[in-house]
Amino acid sequence: MTTKGLAGSEIRRNRTDAEHFDVIIVGARCAGSPLATLLSRAGLKVVVVEQATFPREVLSSHLMEADGLLFLKRLGVLDSVEKTGVRFMRRADTKLNDFHVVSQFPLRFDDVGGATFLRRHLLDSILHEAAVEAGADVRMGTKVVEMIWERGRVAGVRAQHDGKETVLRAPLVVGADGRNSTVAYMVGSRKYNVVPNERSYYFTFFEGAHPSSDDTFVFHRWGDRMVWAGPADNGLYLVGVSPEGHEREYFRRNTEAGLLAHMRSCEPTAEALADAKIATKISGIVKFEGYFRQSSGPGWVLVGDAGHFKDPSAGRGIGDAFRQVERLAPAIVAALGRSGPGVSALGQDETLRLWTQWRDRRFEGHYWLANILGEAGALPAAVPEALKGMAERGEIGRFLDLYHHRSKYYEVFPLTDMAVITGRMMLSGKHKRLPLVRETVKLLAREPRRRWINRHPQLVSSDVTAAPPVRVRPVPSAAAADPLPVPAPQNGSNGSAGANGTTGSNGSAGSVVKDADQKNAEV
């Protein structure tokens, strides 16, 4: 060991001062800050450690649906959100293959709107300020460099700020630090049900959109193209496009031209932006994977993208983080024994394990739906045919409620109904039989397997080739005694696999933001 290394070890050995909290949250964006707010309001002593400083741009779809807006209302920050000039959309312009419908979002009596786009540097700052006002100790520009283990349990973290190291101790550490989660890496959390991407995603904001587009959310998916769009804050208008693999190299070299070409091939966005111009940088994500992660263990839990990430086509990253947080907060309060008489006697680990099981059940259908939307090529013909039938029966709201997480994929598109619809299409003589037969065989083979692995998660080994981003203390062997039955705990690393951002630029407005260092994004 070098003299410098010996000196560092001696400093740590002699340091006895440590700050004590009930909960340490790593990450202060749309999972970490709301969780800190709810826990602080419940009377827990919370510290939030965030590597970045706000406001800061981050890779995201920027989309929130009706349920996410209601959460912000319950959190008490909706007034601050409205001051950004966001516009709440109440109509949806949907096109899937040849099926096209414009309809009202199915809103409930207390809904604010069907959806909205809000730039993440604004949203994250609002959520951060709410956490501070609730009493959480939020430390920006602070990096977790080591996990503290005691008797096989996580007992705290070592964090650095301006070159100074601090020891933070708590009975629970929460990883809310995004896809490249440092906490997940350090505890050896493994992924399961992993699906690689087949499309890339690019986002940017325009200024000068036609006012007639102010109330409508656009989602068009036809052929090999996908475009989604809508009004955002401060008079801006967001457009997202999703090229397939065969266009990857073209987009890398001609990002702005490629985005504009896709935008203009979609009728409603072409009309809305006929006289508009790009107002912000273009953000992109080229390589990623969908996954669930083992999300709880002795002294730790993962929330948001740190524990579960799906294809961005569904635009559910922010809303799903809110849903997880609102369910996790009371579970943590109960796990730490702060809920008073009558609370279940379940231990901390068992309580958080049950929360993880709830998360997997709650998001399994939407996970596969996002994967279907994000596949290369046209959608299976039975999907738009099913939507056509819903529209004719006045039931299109069942599909639109998928945006709000108020209906379930398996109930909107039951396997038996999809098989019957495919049979009718074959008998009608209006469709080519061979492609339909292929789609049917794929459907009947794939969907039952997906539902089977929902109950029998498919684990993948950790990416041991990826270098850890921070100093890591070896995990004691006792840590392998994690009682989680699904999935079986293993040590390893989840460094930066599947988190590569795009490269290349063509000017200020057309430059691409790399997402490799934007660990806390909820896409």
Side-chain angles (χ1 to χ4, degrees):
M1 183 177 283
T2 64
T3 303
K4 182 178 180 181
L6 283 169
S9 296
E10 191 67 26
I11 290 172
R12 288 194 294 273
R13 187 159 50 247
N14 293 336
R15 177 179 291 166
T16 57
D17 58 314
E19 300 179 68
H20 294 265
F21 299 88
D22 295 317
V23 180
I24 299 168
I25 299 175
V26 182
R29 296 192 183 273
C30 60
S33 284
L35 181 61
T37 300
L38 295 175
L39 294 179
S40 297
R41 290 174 181 173
L44 271 62
K45 186 178 180 182
V46 180
V47 61
V48 182
V49 179
E50 168 59 54
Q51 183 172 344
T53 54
F54 293 170
R56 181 176 177 177
E57 295 180 356
V58 67
L59 180 71
S60 177
S61 67
H62 308 280
L63 176 64
M64 290 182 289
E65 297 82 356
D67 60 320
L69 295 174
L70 268 184
F71 172 78
L72 295 177
K73 184 178 180 180
R74 291 191 294 270
L75 197 66
V77 300
L78 190 60
D79 287 345
S80 298
V81 169
E82 290 178 330
K83 289 177 181 178
T84 66
V86 295
R87 290 158 288 176
F88 301 122
M89 296 172 276
R90 293 182 174 272
R91 297 196 309 161
D93 184 329
T94 306
K95 179 178 180 180
L96 298 179
N97 291 0
D98 295 330
F99 171 75
H100 183 211
V101 64
V102 179
S103 56
Q104 298 288 323
F105 274 118
L107 300 180
R108 298 178 178 178
F109 73 95
D110 54 347
D111 279 331
V112 178
T116 193
F117 287 107
L118 176 60
R119 286 176 295 170
R120 282 293 302 278
H121 72 279
L122 298 175
L123 175 63
D124 292 342
S125 295
I126 290 171
L127 296 175
H128 158 245
E129 291 168 3
V132 173
E133 291 176 3
D137 183 350
V138 183
R139 305 185 183 186
M140 309 300 289
T142 304
K143 179 181 181 180
V144 171
V145 296
E146 191 171 11
M147 203 70 63
I148 298 174
W149 293 83
E150 287 184 357
R151 298 179 182 144
R153 300 185 63 82
V154 172
V157 303
R158 296 184 188 275
Q160 285 184 348
H161 175 73
D162 288 340
K164 297 180 181 180
E165 190 171 283
T166 306
V167 176
L168 308 175
R169 300 181 68 88
L172 181 64
V173 174
V174 179
D177 48 346
R179 290 180 297 124
N180 295 334
S181 171
T182 295
V183 175
Y185 177 87
M186 288 183 170
V187 301
S189 172
R190 292 180 68 185
K191 296 177 181 178
Y192 51 99
N193 297 359
V194 175
V195 179
N197 68 301
E198 297 184 17
R199 291 173 175 266
S200 303
Y201 292 86
Y202 294 87
F203 315 82
T204 195
F205 292 87
F206 288 76
E207 57 184 6
H210 195 278
S212 62
S213 63
D214 275 2
D215 192 38
T216 305
F217 172 72
V218 176
F219 183 84
H220 283 205
R221 169 104 156 61
W222 77 104
D224 63 352
R225 298 205 170 183
M226 183 194 307
V227 177
W228 65 104
D233 58 272
N234 289 291
L236 297 175
Y237 189 94
L238 180 138
V239 171
V241 303
S242 183
E244 294 184 1
H246 66 87
E247 291 187 281
R248 181 169 296 177
E249 185 62 22
Y250 176 82
F251 263 78
R252 188 184 72 82
R253 297 183 178 182
N254 307 278
T255 308
E256 182 174 333
L259 185 143
L260 290 173
H262 278 236
M263 178 273 288
R264 289 166 180 159
S265 68
C266 175
E267 184 176 346
T269 55
E271 293 178 356
L273 303 175
D275 300 318
K277 62 180 180 179
I278 294 178
T280 65
K281 291 178 289 188
I282 299 175
S283 300
I285 178 171
V286 173
K287 185 178 180 181
F288 61 91
E289 57 188 16
Y291 58 82
F292 288 86
R293 270 199 185 112
Q294 174 193 354
S295 288
S296 66
W300 58 272
V301 66
L302 306 177
V303 67
D305 282 357
H308 166 53
F309 180 77
K310 61 173 65 67
D311 193 286
S313 59
R316 283 294 316 182
I318 300 173
D320 285 357
F322 290 166
R323 276 185 174 267
Q324 291 179 41
V325 161
E326 199 161 28
R327 184 71 173 241
L328 179 60
I332 290 176
V333 173
L336 297 180
R338 300 300 180 86
S339 295
V343 177
S344 171
L346 290 174
Q348 174 179 319
D349 296 347
E350 177 66 8
T351 300
L352 297 178
R353 184 184 69 84
L354 293 176
W355 173 83
T356 299
Q357 289 184 341
W358 165 84
R359 182 208 63 183
D360 285 8
R361 290 194 302 268
R362 190 67 183 84
F363 298 113
E364 61 186 18
H366 275 70
Y367 179 69
W368 297 120
L369 172 62
N371 179 249
I372 290 173
L373 293 175
E375 289 177 335
L379 285 169
V383 174
E385 191 69 17
L387 287 181
K388 181 180 178 181
M390 293 181 201
E392 291 173 349
R393 297 189 300 271
E395 299 175 356
I396 196 65
R398 293 176 57 213
F399 170 75
L400 295 178
D401 265 338
L402 288 171
Y403 288 123
H404 311 319
H405 229 300
R406 290 172 176 170
S407 58
K408 296 182 179 180
Y409 164 59
Y410 295 141
E411 295 175 356
V412 176
F413 297 105
L415 189 60
T416 53
D417 286 7
M418 299 303 288
V420 169
I421 289 171
T422 303
R424 290 175 180 170
M425 293 171 65
M426 293 178 66
L427 295 174
S428 70
K430 298 179 180 179
H431 305 271
K432 294 181 179 180
R433 290 199 171 191
L434 184 57
L436 280 177
V437 170
R438 289 174 177 169
E439 288 179 2
T440 303
V441 171
K442 183 179 180 180
L443 176 71
L444 295 179
R446 180 182 64 183
E447 291 303 316
R449 170 173 167 74
R450 286 179 170 177
R451 301 182 193 204
W452 183 86
I453 67 175
N454 286 337
R455 300 186 298 274
H456 306 84
Q458 306 294 294
L459 287 166
V460 296
S461 298
S462 300
D463 181 10
V464 296
T465 63
V470 291
R471 183 171 77 249
V472 182
R473 172 181 294 179
V475 179
S477 59
D482 188 342
L484 290 181
V486 180
Q490 298 285 339
N491 292 333
S493 70
N494 281 307
S496 56
N500 297 324
T502 63
T503 57
S505 67
N506 52 3
S508 58
S511 62
V512 177
V513 176
K514 294 183 181 180
D515 78 313
D517 66 336
Q518 298 179 2
K519 299 163 49 180
N520 304 310
E522 303 291 345
V523 180

